Amino acid sequence: MADLQAPRGMSDVLPEDEPLWRFVRDTAERVARSFDYRLINTPIVEDVRVFSRTSGDESDIVSKEMYVFEDRGGGELALRPEGTAAVCRAYIEHGMGSRPQPVRLYYFGPMFRYDRPQAGRYRQLWQFGVECIGDPSPAADAEIIELQYTLFRELGLDDLTLSINSIGTAETRRTYVDVLRRHLEPHLEGLSQDSQRRFGTNVLRILDSKEDAGHPALQSAPSILDYLTDEDAQHFEAVRSLLDASGVPYEVAPRIVRGLDYYARTVWEFEPPAAEGSDSGQQGTVSAGGRYDGLMELLGGPPTPGTGTAMGVERTVLNLRARGIEAPSAAPVDVVTIPLGGQGPAAALRLAQSLRAAGLTVRAGIPGRSLRAQLRGADAAGARYAAILGDDEAARGVVQLKHLARDGEQREVAVGDAAGVVGSE
RNA sequence: GUGGGUGUCGCCUAGCGGUCUAAGGCGCCAGGUUGUGGCCCUGGAGAGCGGGGGUUCAAAUCCCCUCACCCACCCCA
């Protein structure tokens, strides 16, 4: 094995992987644009405060998963762990608040988290995300969810389940956390160690516990939905009826919470159906998002509502592969040139130029190899035609066009006619 | 961060203490005509067994450490 390898948890996307990636990316961009979302590219590094202020210093992302480094000017930079905060920073920086609201944006790029890698979890992960900024209404939430839903359908992932919840606003959450604490406290002894730890750090997470899922204390736990303010409840109700209207199936899951502090009200996740057998792939969430009113203020901007979602590209590709879904096949090689002799190479170069100019895909043959070897190579490449050019052809301004894809019939045509012949089939 | 598993040519795999200066398949390169493919045949290049250290007369084969990957937990996309 080579002594130099890609950094832990980071991997190469090889040419053979690329068609599926391109399928995901192209489909994502097409769907986003069809909802009138526009691309925004932000740097992959940001001032660390973009994330520490917004994700919450206590969050795992900030406390232990960020790649932070000092640049030569002494500033603290971070490899971005997620996209939303960076997009919001750009929104503020470029005064997008004075554009027609809401501003609809999408991004596609790598994120970095210093996690322990495992199936579906990487230190460099790609996300496709959409953000609808400047609209507090339930319609924006429903639009984002519908967009994501549409994208999964277009990709052929039609068995993902959508879970939605409302976690209210900061105050309702505080109230609910107190209630939940009081409810769980008497049962603490009987809960798992993880849950006991989370009782101190993040009570809401206990609801998500796999270990304690069947515990009576959890089954009887109060639902956050019962603690929503009237406004929160109305908002959630409206999101639901809009989803109903657009035919997006979902289930309400009062137990889902999100990892980042800036979420408010609507939150959601798309997950593949629980795998048969037992313990496969707990890294299931393919896409997740929520409303983040309040985030802008954490970044020093004016109060601005927003909602968005992010999809894990690797996990999406994993799900496509698991279902045997393949990317539309790439364009084949139209012609492989086969230069022979002393004059062939130059003639082949000129021919290749003119064929490419005509929009054809041409692989240059390698001078010096035998005709036999070159034809074998052309065949292996799956080329439709081989264009043989030796001294004789070069002198006469012709080329031997051999139709590999068929029976190998070969005919001599003038160099100038080659593009027409190849292009006509 | 915690626990478990794996690690032999580019890929897949055999070997599991001496017959291994490591074998096979795929792929790659070349040849089987002087300028003709796909099948087939022949030959060739390519690893010293993830790395390091031990044990032993002898290690790919045993032990330890380390690295990487995989799986689970935590957390998350």
Side-chain angles (χ1 to χ4, degrees):
Chain A
M1 184 172 288
D3 60 338
L4 252 24
Q5 302 179 49
R8 184 167 196 199
M10 306 192 186
S11 55
D12 303 306
V13 178
L14 299 175
E16 53 269 36
D17 304 322
E18 197 267 345
L20 211 43
W21 275 70
R22 194 186 46 217
F23 174 53
V24 171
R25 180 177 191 147
D26 287 352
T27 308
E29 294 202 300
R30 196 185 74 239
V31 171
R33 279 196 293 260
S34 77
F35 279 75
D36 191 32
Y37 282 66
R38 299 181 64 189
L39 177 67
I40 181 167
N41 278 150
T42 62
I44 60 173
V45 293
E46 291 279 349
D47 187 309
V48 67
R49 289 170 297 182
V50 169
F51 308 110
S52 59
R53 281 193 200 163
T54 56
S55 293
D57 290 327
E58 300 304 309
S59 69
D60 276 16
I61 282 188
V62 168
S63 61
K64 57 185 203 200
E65 292 175 8
M66 262 207 300
Y67 282 90
V68 179
F69 60 96
E70 207 170 284
D71 78 358
R72 298 196 180 203
E76 288 258 284
L77 297 180
L79 253 36
R80 63 183 184 191
E82 57 109 13
T84 300
V87 169
C88 289
R89 189 228 83 225
Y91 177 96
I92 296 168
E93 183 171 336
H94 299 287
M96 293 191 207
S98 57
R99 298 186 185 197
Q101 302 294 297
V103 174
R104 294 175 162 97
L105 302 167
Y106 74 88
Y107 58 85
F108 189 103
M111 308 296 162
F112 301 84
R113 296 181 191 174
Y114 192 84
D115 249 353
R116 177 111 176 226
Q118 75 179 78
R121 190 173 68 188
Y122 311 98
R123 288 185 172 179
Q124 174 175 321
L125 59 124
W126 288 68
Q127 289 188 333
F128 164 73
V130 291
E131 314 288 353
C132 180
I133 303 173
D135 181 359
S137 79
D141 296 323
E143 174 174 291
I144 292 278
I145 293 171
E146 188 195 351
L147 192 165
Q148 180 68 76
Y149 174 77
T150 304
L151 171 53
F152 283 136
R153 305 272 318 190
E154 298 270 318
L155 288 172
L157 294 175
D158 45 20
D159 60 348
L160 302 183
T161 63
L162 164 63
S163 302
I164 66 172
N165 190 24
S166 175
I167 55 174
T169 54
E171 298 137 67
T172 64
R173 233 174 313 159
R174 263 196 294 282
T175 310
Y176 175 67
V177 164
D178 284 343
V179 171
L180 189 59
R181 273 225 173 77
R182 276 200 294 279
H183 172 82
L184 291 176
E185 198 155 19
H187 309 285
L188 215 47
E189 298 286 304
L191 294 175
S192 67
Q193 291 215 322
D194 278 330
S195 290
Q196 293 186 26
R197 179 179 52 76
R198 285 186 285 208
F199 187 81
T201 57
N202 191 347
V203 194
L204 293 178
R205 273 267 160 239
I206 298 180
L207 294 175
D208 234 5
S209 170
K210 286 145 201 133
E211 257 183 283
D212 294 325
H215 195 284
L218 284 195
Q219 305 207 306
S220 64
S223 164
I224 192 168
L225 293 176
D226 295 327
Y227 290 84
L228 297 180
T229 63
D230 287 349
E231 283 189 325
D232 290 344
Q234 276 166 25
H235 185 99
F236 191 47
E237 191 50 48
V239 170
R240 295 179 55 177
S241 64
L242 287 166
L243 290 176
D244 291 338
S246 56
V248 177
Y250 62 88
E251 56 189 48
V252 174
R255 285 139 94 103
I256 69 169
V257 292
R258 302 268 74 232
L260 305 177
D261 286 0
Y262 55 61
Y263 284 111
R265 290 188 165 163
T266 326
V267 295
W268 59 84
E269 294 180 354
F270 282 85
E271 281 183 303
E276 322 240 331
S278 48
D279 47 86
S280 59
Q282 286 300 330
Q283 306 306 320
T285 307
V286 184
S287 166
R291 172 163 285 283
Y292 46 82
D293 303 345
L295 172 55
M296 288 290 180
E297 286 163 273
L298 295 174
L299 287 171
T304 311
T307 182
T309 200
M311 175 181 89
V313 175
E314 288 87 349
R315 288 184 186 180
T316 300
V317 168
L318 244 28
N319 275 279
L320 291 172
R321 290 216 164 100
R323 288 163 183 70
I325 296 171
E326 291 176 15
S329 57
V333 177
D334 295 306
V335 177
V336 171
T337 59
I338 299 188
L340 298 170
Q343 302 308 310
L349 236 36
R350 288 191 297 272
L351 174 67
Q353 280 183 338
S354 69
L355 294 178
R356 292 184 187 122
L360 297 167
T361 298
V362 182
R363 172 195 281 213
I366 299 172
R369 291 191 181 175
S370 70
L371 174 57
R372 177 196 204 79
Q374 296 203 58
L375 277 172
R376 278 180 177 159
D379 186 60
R384 293 165 52 222
Y385 282 93
I388 303 167
L389 290 128
D391 291 326
D392 177 50
E393 288 81 6
R396 293 163 46 223
V398 298
V399 54
Q400 306 293 338
L401 274 186
K402 186 176 176 66
H403 203 163
L404 298 174
R406 289 215 194 124
D407 51 8
E409 70 178 274
Q410 179 172 318
R411 59 178 168 142
E412 180 177 301
V413 303
V415 163
D417 297 335
V421 173
V422 174
S424 69
E425 298 176 53

